[in-house]
Amino acid sequence: MSRQPYSTDLSDVEWLILEPLLLAVLNPSKRGRLRQVELREIVNAIRYILRTGCAWRLLPHDFPAWQTVYGYFRRWRDSGLWEQLNDNLRETVRLEAERAAEPSAAIIDSQSVKTSAVAGERGFDGAKLVTGRKRHLLVDVLGLLLVVLVHKASVSEREGAKSLLQRAKLKGFKRLALIWADGGYNGQAMIAWVFDLAGWILEIVKRNDEVKGFEVLPHRWIVERTFAWLGRYRRLSKDYEVLTQTSEAWIYAAMVNLMLARLARNPAVYL
């Protein structure tokens, strides 16, 4: 790298963690055409856009050409690479925290965000008074992302949750048994549907009607913290994307960044 570093650049330890995972997914046979750009610089450029929220065409000129960086991001989105990196790193973080690689409990919630002027799927959330999209997350008890689904904000909590949990079932979380949710997912029909889908117990965590003002609710604060983590990235301050698949890829990329930073706190393991 022959340029001045940005604060969003990968540290040496983060790259030591990420590079083998990236290469294993991109080119497991170790065959193919030689790359003309450094993968580390491609990732650095994507991290820069994610953190600053700038448009692709405004990517600083000391990175590879924006068309090249965007091409990599699009191919990685379409191949599911960001989701695979998220899954691999999540298992590593959980093991480092002395937990099983797969979770036995999870928390579900959604966040409605405005969309920009670009074309694409959107709707009106009458409860939050937001025109845009919903980000539906399923996270483990550490707040790490299991599955994400982005859809128009007009889709109800329960219908969005059904689509999200169907994705979760396809991922094959064998240990998952319990899912906590707020009152928006309540109802015997919903609880029965979740159990019929995969044998999961949907437990509704309700507010205490006697408590006035803000109240920290058991388990539910974990997913709210995850939404706060995502809020650190300006690319996620709104939904700027035409495709919901792109929105989901950015969320996975943000979680990859967060987990890399967490793992890099213990550099002795990787150096």
Side-chain angles (χ1 to χ4, degrees), residues 97-146:
E98 299 183 348
R99 293 180 177 270
E102 284 197 2
S104 60
I107 309 98
I108 188 173
D109 203 357
S110 70
Q111 176 192 56
S112 294
V113 294
K114 295 180 180 179
T115 48
S116 61
V118 299
E121 180 180 313
R122 73 187 71 194
F124 180 69
D125 182 348
K128 303 292 178 62
L129 302 180
V130 170
T131 298
R133 293 175 179 164
K134 277 184 184 176
R135 297 166 178 163
H136 244 114
L137 303 188
L138 186 70
V139 304
D140 68 7
V141 295
L142 298 178
L144 305 178
L145 183 61
L146 302 177

Side-chain angles (χ1 to χ4, degrees), residues 43-189:
V43 177
N44 282 336
I46 291 172
R47 283 165 59 107
Y48 181 91
I49 289 178
L50 176 61
R51 183 65 182 85
T52 65
C54 78
W56 286 106
R57 287 173 173 79
L58 299 181
L59 186 67
H61 297 302
D62 48 2
F63 283 120
W66 74 265
Q67 297 94 330
T68 301
V69 178
Y70 174 71
Y72 271 91
F73 177 83
R74 184 181 61 191
R75 289 195 295 273
W76 294 353
R77 175 202 67 193
D78 295 343
S79 67
L81 178 138
W82 293 112
E83 183 175 359
Q84 292 180 63
L85 291 177
N86 174 80
D87 293 346
N88 289 337
L89 289 169
R90 184 187 65 245
E91 291 184 4
T92 303
V93 172
R94 287 182 58 85
L95 291 171
E96 193 172 270
E98 299 183 348
R99 293 180 177 270
E102 284 197 2
S104 60
I107 309 98
I108 188 173
D109 203 357
S110 70
Q111 176 192 56
S112 294
V113 294
K114 295 180 180 179
T115 48
S116 61
V118 299
E121 180 180 313
R122 73 187 71 194
F124 180 69
D125 182 348
K128 303 292 178 62
L129 302 180
V130 170
T131 298
R133 293 175 179 164
K134 277 184 184 176
R135 297 166 178 163
H136 244 114
L137 303 188
L138 186 70
V139 304
D140 68 7
V141 295
L142 298 178
L144 305 178
L145 183 61
L146 302 177
V147 193
V148 60
L149 174 68
V150 177
H151 53 75
K152 57 187 178 181
S154 55
V155 175
S156 70
E157 302 281 359
R158 297 177 192 177
E159 290 307 311
K162 287 180 179 181
S163 298
L164 180 74
L165 294 176
Q166 285 170 337
R167 283 193 180 184
K169 181 184 178 181
L170 291 175
K171 290 175 72 73
F173 295 112
K174 296 180 181 179
R175 295 186 69 249
L176 187 59
L178 174 63
I179 299 174
W180 289 293
D182 66 22
Y185 304 90
N186 199 8
Q188 289 303 315

